[in-house]
Amino acid sequence: MFAILKKELWSYFGNWSAWVIMAAFSLIVTLFLFFFDNDSNIFEIGMASLQSYFVLVPWLLMFIIPALSMKTFAEEQQTGTLNWLFSQPLKVSDLVFGKFLSVWIVG
């Protein structure tokens, strides 16, 4: 499981995908909390509270985490290593948990 976790984290941070995802997440949260005219705007609320942030973040992560998870298995399928992974003396739960943990760390 830790080997899969390390491989997946290296595949995210070794290229631009994780950096783009984190930048997009930060940009979207910043726009909603400070610039867009909505109920989550901190300036319109009139007090410094993280309640708006914690209301907004689960909605964003609801789209980001499944997209990242699908990407991990799609890349394995595309390169042809998914069948090889399933044939290794490795539990499927370890494979899925290692990939999920890497997506959770990035997300």
Side-chain angles (χ1 to χ4, degrees), residues 4 6 21 27 30 32 46 48 56 61 78 82 89:
I4 294 170
K6 183 179 173 183
I21 291 166
L27 179 70
T30 302
F32 273 100
L56 179 64
L61 290 178
Q78 185 178 18
L82 189 61

Side-chain angles (χ1 to χ4, degrees), residues 13 16 60 65-66 88 102 107:
F13 290 108
W16 54 270
L60 289 174
I65 298 297
Q88 295 300 312
S102 69

Side-chain angles (χ1 to χ4, degrees), residues 42-99:
I42 291 177
F43 296 128
E44 289 181 12
I45 292 174
M47 66 177 171
S49 172
L50 287 175
Q51 182 179 4
S52 300
Y53 177 79
F54 289 118
V55 168
L56 179 64
V57 166
W59 288 98
L60 289 174
L61 290 178
M62 187 171 60
F63 293 104
I64 292 173
I65 298 297
L68 289 174
S69 299
M70 288 185 282
K71 178 185 175 280
T72 60
F73 284 106
E75 282 181 350
E76 296 287 347
Q77 181 69 31
Q78 185 178 18
T79 58
T81 57
L82 189 61
N83 291 333
W84 179 80
L85 272 175
F86 284 135
S87 67
Q88 295 300 312
L90 175 71
K91 289 191 259 181
V92 176
S93 61
D94 287 342
L95 173 68
V96 171
F97 189 66
K99 287 184 175 287

